[in-house]
Amino acid sequence: MKSKDCVAMILAGGQGSRLGALTKKMAKPAVPFGGKYRIIDFPLSNCVHSGIDTVGVLTQYQPLELNTYIGNGNPWDLNRNHGGVYVLPPYQSATAGEWYKGTANAIYQNLVFLEDFKPKNVLILSGDHIYKMNYAKMLKAHKKTEAAVTIAVMPVPWEEASRFGIMNVNEDGFITEFEEKPKEPKSNLASMGIYIFDYEKLKKYLTEDENDPNSSNDFGKNIIPAMLANGEKMISFSFDGYWKDVGTVQSLWEANMDLIDSPPKFELYDDKWMIYSRNITRPPHYVGADAEILSSTVGEGCFIEGEVRHSVIFEGVTIGKGSKITDSVIMPGAVIGENVTINKGIVGPSAVISAGAVLGSASESANKSFISGMCTNELVLVEGGAVISENNEIACGSMVEA
Amino acid sequence: MIDTMGIILASDEKIAPITDRRSISALPVAGSYRLIDFVLSNMANAGITNVGVATNSNYSSLMDHIKSGKPWDLDRKEAGLNILPPNMQKAKYGMLRGDIDMLEGIYGYISRSKQTYVILSLGTSLYNINFEDVMEKHVERQADITVIYKEMKELSDSELSRFTLIELDEDKRVNDIEIRPYYPKSSTAGLDVYVMERALLCSILDESIARGDHDLMKDAIIKKLSALRVFGYEYTNYTDKIDSLKSYYKNNMIFLDSKIRNELFSAENPVYTKTKDRAPTKYGSDSAVENSFISDGCVIEGTVINSVLSRGVKVAKGAVVKNSIIMQDSVIDEDVYIDHVIFDKEVYVTPGRKLLGQDSYPLAIEKGGKI
């Protein structure tokens, strides 16, 4: 078979425990985002637009939702005869069989898959970042420099640098040092978790890493430091567009709000770089005579009779008369009754908020029994499928499970 | 049980200017759908896996919409969805004069198909029907032909005379059929959907072609009413046909009525269409929207009242859109005021313009028009 220039591998197995109740029943990459998408739509769409037609998606935690969502890859034009998208769960073989121990081990266990395509380069991606990026540019730079690995980096504010994996680079972009979450960062260039490896080098280091019983089999902790120690040619690739790790309840909420700010920090109305998603046909949304919708996005199949301000409303949501939704994210199929008030809420798929309920109440008498450390910045999170009873006043900072 | 194939006849009638570049079946309705989506989805939902769409002329828009048939799960190894272009030889000499001529062009396709029954529908009506039930009743009654109808007692004579009218006896057997009569004798209106065995259709076609007939109803079926067991099947939800600009306007506006909307978009019998990867619709900080039906990918910064918007429509600040139907990617610039208009795709209205139509006579602007 014809060999592939570049095959992408998306790490989508993590639990995403900092998303609290949102990832109780689905993996982080399957979490709804931006009014109609799932987080994994972003790396998948980026791959297709960058000319990468072979993608492995490594799943482990709660894979059902993600598997059914990806299906045969048709929504991303990734149903191909030679290549396409493949969901790669951990498997049992004649001699062994184990869970993915770390990001590096997950790729190691799928070297057989990669071998089939005889790729020259392998692009490693995370399934939990929101951004639009042309990997073809990065691949071109990688090929030009003949680096063993090219790592995408972006400048972050200095005060936040200690939360990231920081790359110290020389004036030619060569990576000289890598520090995971340094207390005193020497640079503000953060690794975006996007790597292009020369396939032979990748194979070599993964195999060596696997033979090291003390390794935690992680790209950031083990593979990159080992390559640095051996003096491999490692080059940074600077990215300056919008990029957001949506690993926490607050960052997920912020990234949604970034879409509806004026002007938006992240633009989805882009004909040249459309984000593809599995679209279910629904009728247009209906806006009632007394409804008011300001600075918001609304998906298909919604039925809106209340007031919506600065919020992201996914497809198939019902919002009853007299309700006021502000600074919130309402996920697919949620039903919001009449005279409901929601402030800074994230309402999970198909949750039901009964008439008169309040989410995000600052009042003394509010129900404080669901207050959770997950929900910083006064956010309120309601798990998908949960039912909030009539007139129940839920305090700010609560996480209500189903 | 289904064992049935579907044939949709894409009519060649004209409604200027919106069918200048497409057939009626390909007309955008309800924002993000095409008229043909309703019958196609009904067939697909009933488990039909062989659907032929016979075309006459102007079929590129229809082909572009249907493509492989994927949205209806009709991209199959065997049969699936097939667009059947007309017999060009006949079309060239202007000889495609009726549905028999269209069916003659696809005779080979019909006779090669493997299903026992056929549902034949003119692709100009709006309805959402359960074809599984229709087929069950057809077989149960041992009918030769089943005609689907609706009681339309509330319609005026002039409205009724747009339809094929049927007279039924107590057992729902069809006694008489009149095509668009000037003086209607009944208010039982046909939906232009017929069910019969494929073999019967083939034999009727053979006979009619040999006799030089053109019209399946007038020349063939009406003459056989006493010889064949022709029965009616009653449909009770909303239906109408699109045969004029006025009916096109009305049959989009009805989607603002939640009862009719729920009848046509039933959860049990969903309607599918080609989906597009547009972002969700975005509302600006000064938008005002009332009683409207709005598709994906619109950007609304002005006022929209009692209107139906297709995908990707832009309504700029200060603009007012009232009682209007706006097709895909049209742009209504700042401070424009429009009332009772139909915009085809990609119409652009420059700032400050005012366009007014009337309820009885909506103003229609052709595709790509700049004002």
Side-chain angles (χ1 to χ4, degrees):
Chain A
M1 252 196 301
K2 195 171 171 293
S3 67
K4 292 277 179 190
D5 188 31
C6 185
V7 168
M9 300 290 266
I10 302 179
L11 300 162
Q15 180 182 355
S17 53
R18 289 173 303 153
L19 283 175
L22 277 176
T23 50
K24 222 159 87 182
K25 292 200 184 85
M26 62 176 119
K28 183 158 58 169
V31 168
F33 174 80
K36 82 178 278 193
Y37 309 96
R38 307 288 187 122
I39 295 169
I40 198 158
D41 289 330
F42 290 82
L44 283 176
S45 302
N46 287 341
C47 280
V48 171
H49 293 313
S50 306
I52 295 169
D53 63 10
T54 309
V55 182
V57 179
L58 298 113
T59 61
Q60 176 156 295
Y61 173 80
Q62 286 283 8
L64 177 65
E65 185 98 12
L66 197 54
N67 290 354
T68 39
Y69 185 69
I70 292 174
N72 70 349
N74 176 266
W76 305 271
D77 260 346
L78 284 171
N79 50 339
R80 308 283 176 111
N81 289 331
H82 177 45
V85 65
Y86 297 81
V87 175
L88 303 168
Y91 57 92
Q92 205 152 29
S93 69
T95 53
E98 57 188 350
W99 296 104
Y100 294 149
K101 290 180 285 182
T103 51
N105 176 257
I107 304 291
Y108 174 81
Q109 289 203 36
N110 286 290
L111 282 175
V112 198
F113 165 78
L114 285 170
E115 202 62 29
D116 261 3
F117 293 101
K118 299 192 281 288
K120 294 186 192 74
N121 304 286
V122 177
L123 168 65
I124 309 281
L125 301 169
S126 298
D128 49 7
H129 297 155
I130 302 294
Y131 62 115
K132 291 188 281 192
M133 180 177 179
N134 190 344
Y135 306 132
K137 283 188 188 163
M138 182 172 168
L139 183 61
K140 197 174 161 197
H142 172 75
K143 286 199 261 188
K144 198 171 158 198
T145 57
E146 297 180 324
V149 63
T150 301
I151 303 177
V153 297
M154 69 179 298
V156 292
W158 278 95
E159 62 272 20
E160 287 179 32
S162 56
R163 287 174 42 218
F164 293 91
I166 292 296
M167 299 283 172
N168 299 325
V169 304
N170 69 15
E171 60 271 28
D172 299 321
F174 282 62
I175 296 163
T176 54
E177 204 182 348
F178 173 75
E179 294 177 290
E180 185 78 59
K181 296 178 184 157
K183 285 209 177 68
E184 285 167 25
K186 292 178 203 139
S187 127
N188 69 335
L189 286 180
S191 165
M192 297 161 65
I194 299 168
Y195 312 98
I196 297 180
F197 283 92
D198 172 83
Y199 179 54
E200 294 305 322
K201 295 280 184 195
L202 177 69
K203 239 187 337 191
K204 172 174 179 277
Y205 281 95
L206 286 180
T207 311
E208 282 174 17
D209 179 66
E210 189 61 21
N211 293 332
D212 175 3
N214 300 321
S215 171
S216 46
N217 308 110
D218 184 88
F219 276 99
K221 288 190 195 122
N222 308 104
I223 304 290
I224 302 302
M227 290 178 81
L228 264 174
N230 278 358
E232 293 286 355
K233 192 172 184 183
M234 302 170 73
I235 299 187
S236 63
F237 178 84
S238 302
F239 177 76
D240 57 3
Y242 180 94
W243 177 86
K244 189 139 187 145
D245 180 333
V246 286
T248 61
V249 175
Q250 183 167 342
S251 63
L252 182 74
W253 175 81
E254 281 170 3
N256 276 290
M257 294 298 119
D258 286 346
L259 301 171
I260 48 176
D261 284 341
S262 180
K265 295 190 184 76
F266 187 50
E267 183 61 85
L268 291 173
Y269 297 77
D270 183 351
D271 284 349
K272 292 195 185 75
W273 206 272
M274 273 197 186
I275 304 303
Y276 298 147
S277 61
R278 185 171 289 277
N279 285 315
I280 298 163
T281 321
R282 287 178 191 266
H285 64 261
Y286 174 78
V287 183
D290 303 320
E292 187 167 85
I293 308 175
L294 300 176
S295 306
S296 298
T297 70
V298 179
E300 288 184 313
C302 290
F303 187 80
I304 312 244
E305 294 190 295
E307 286 176 28
V308 178
R309 283 164 208 270
H310 200 253
S311 295
V312 173
I313 314 294
F314 281 73
E315 69 271 15
V317 168
T318 304
I319 297 177
K321 280 191 182 133
S323 287
K324 289 185 167 63
I325 317 294
T326 313
D327 300 326
S328 295
V329 179
I330 314 291
M331 291 186 177
V335 179
I336 293 166
E338 295 184 0
N339 303 312
V340 168
T341 304
I342 303 180
N343 292 310
K344 285 180 141 185
I346 300 179
V347 175
S350 305
V352 177
I353 316 294
S354 308
V358 179
L359 299 184
S361 166
S363 136
E364 270 303 305
S365 58
N367 182 347
K368 296 192 179 67
S369 52
F370 301 108
I371 287 185
S372 157
M374 293 277 179
C375 297
T376 49
N377 191 25
E378 301 175 334
L379 290 169
V380 176
L381 171 61
V382 176
E383 189 186 340
V387 178
I388 306 287
S389 54
E390 276 186 30
N391 303 318
N392 197 345
E393 212 173 303
I394 309 283
C396 321
S398 300
M399 178 166 87
V400 185
E401 299 184 46
Chain B
M1 105 95 221
I2 199 74
D3 190 21
T4 302
M5 71 179 289
I7 297 174
I8 299 165
L9 297 177
S11 151
D12 204 28
E13 284 174 51
K14 290 273 163 259
I15 306 173
I18 51 176
T19 60
D20 286 356
R21 299 170 204 222
R22 55 171 85 88
S23 63
I24 292 180
S25 306
L27 274 173
V29 287
S32 44
Y33 297 83
R34 303 292 185 124
L35 185 54
I36 198 170
D37 291 339
F38 289 83
V39 55
L40 266 184
S41 303
N42 287 175
M43 287 179 173
N45 287 335
I48 294 175
T49 57
N50 178 11
V51 179
V53 180
T55 56
N56 199 326
S57 58
N58 249 346
Y59 52 87
S60 67
S61 162
L62 203 55
M63 277 177 88
D64 179 52
H65 177 65
I66 292 175
K67 278 198 178 142
S68 68
K70 172 88 187 156
W72 304 271
D73 260 343
L74 285 170
D75 51 335
R76 300 295 180 115
K77 277 189 169 177
E78 200 172 322
L81 187 54
N82 299 280
I83 291 252
L84 307 161
N87 180 337
M88 287 320 285
Q89 246 176 336
K90 283 209 151 191
K92 199 157 71 185
Y93 299 109
M95 285 165 73
L96 284 175
R97 284 197 282 169
D99 41 18
I100 288 182
D101 298 305
M102 279 177 90
L103 288 163
E104 186 190 352
I106 64 164
Y107 187 85
Y109 176 79
I110 301 171
S111 62
R112 273 195 313 274
S113 290
K114 294 173 182 160
Q115 288 74 18
T116 309
Y117 300 97
V118 51
I119 297 174
L120 182 66
S121 171
L122 239 58
T124 49
S125 293
L126 188 58
Y127 53 77
N128 189 341
I129 197 165
N130 179 346
F131 278 135
E132 268 180 290
D133 193 50
V134 174
M135 294 312 298
E136 259 171 48
K137 294 277 173 358
H138 176 82
V139 175
E140 202 178 285
R141 283 181 186 144
Q142 299 179 306
D144 291 316
I145 298 177
T146 296
V147 180
I148 302 177
Y149 70 89
K150 187 183 176 183
E151 282 301 339
M152 298 199 182
K153 292 206 169 62
E154 71 287 359
L155 291 194
S156 65
D157 277 7
S158 67
E159 283 281 316
L160 277 173
S161 64
R162 294 166 51 224
F163 292 92
T164 297
L165 298 179
I166 296 163
E167 272 179 41
L168 298 166
D169 71 10
E170 283 154 17
D171 303 323
K172 299 214 167 175
R173 184 147 177 190
V174 177
N175 284 335
D176 196 11
I177 297 179
E178 289 187 315
I179 317 281
R180 296 187 221 175
Y182 195 73
Y183 296 109
K185 279 187 279 185
S186 93
S187 58
T188 308
L191 272 62
D192 298 325
V193 185
Y194 309 100
V195 178
M196 64 190 94
E197 274 191 31
R198 190 170 53 85
L200 176 61
L201 178 64
C202 286
S203 96
I204 291 175
L205 285 178
D206 273 338
E207 216 179 285
S208 305
I209 293 163
R211 287 181 182 153
D213 290 341
H214 297 288
D215 194 296
L216 186 68
M217 278 321 271
K218 285 181 188 164
D219 297 331
I221 294 179
I222 290 177
K223 291 177 184 161
K224 291 178 188 295
L225 281 178
S226 51
L228 294 173
R229 288 170 59 82
V230 182
F231 282 88
Y233 176 95
E234 187 174 10
Y235 168 81
T236 50
N237 282 343
Y238 184 84
T239 184
D240 197 359
K241 66 164 149 192
I242 294 181
D243 53 2
S244 64
L245 206 55
K246 198 177 152 191
S247 67
Y248 177 73
Y249 180 77
K250 178 188 160 214
N251 283 302
N252 275 285
M253 283 307 188
I254 49 126
F255 285 96
L256 298 179
D257 177 328
S258 56
K259 182 176 175 282
I260 296 177
R261 196 167 60 235
N262 291 336
E263 285 178 5
L264 291 172
F265 291 119
S266 111
E268 283 303 306
N269 210 12
V271 183
Y272 309 103
T273 189
K274 185 166 85 175
T275 55
K276 297 202 174 154
D277 290 271
R278 303 279 184 133
T281 281
K282 193 166 183 172
Y283 291 88
S285 52
D286 301 316
S287 69
V289 179
E290 257 178 50
N291 189 37
S292 293
F293 206 40
I294 298 185
S295 310
D296 257 8
C298 294
V299 178
I300 298 172
E301 292 179 316
T303 301
V304 179
I305 300 169
N306 302 337
S307 295
V308 178
L309 270 54
S310 291
R311 293 188 178 110
V313 172
K314 292 194 170 58
V315 181
K317 277 203 173 114
V320 177
V321 176
K322 278 171 91 174
N323 309 311
S324 293
I325 293 147
I326 314 290
M327 294 187 208
Q328 203 173 300
D329 293 324
S330 286
V331 177
I332 292 116
D333 217 328
E334 287 182 18
D335 303 319
V336 165
Y337 185 95
I338 56 178
D339 192 357
H340 287 102
V341 302
I342 297 171
F343 281 179
D344 204 321
K345 286 180 169 186
E346 294 154 25
V347 170
Y348 176 57
V349 191
T350 53
R353 307 283 160 180
K354 200 169 176 185
L355 289 172
L356 300 177
Q358 295 298 326
D359 195 24
S360 55
Y361 199 93
L363 175 67
I365 308 290
E366 81 276 9
K367 184 175 174 182
K370 284 205 170 47
I371 293 153

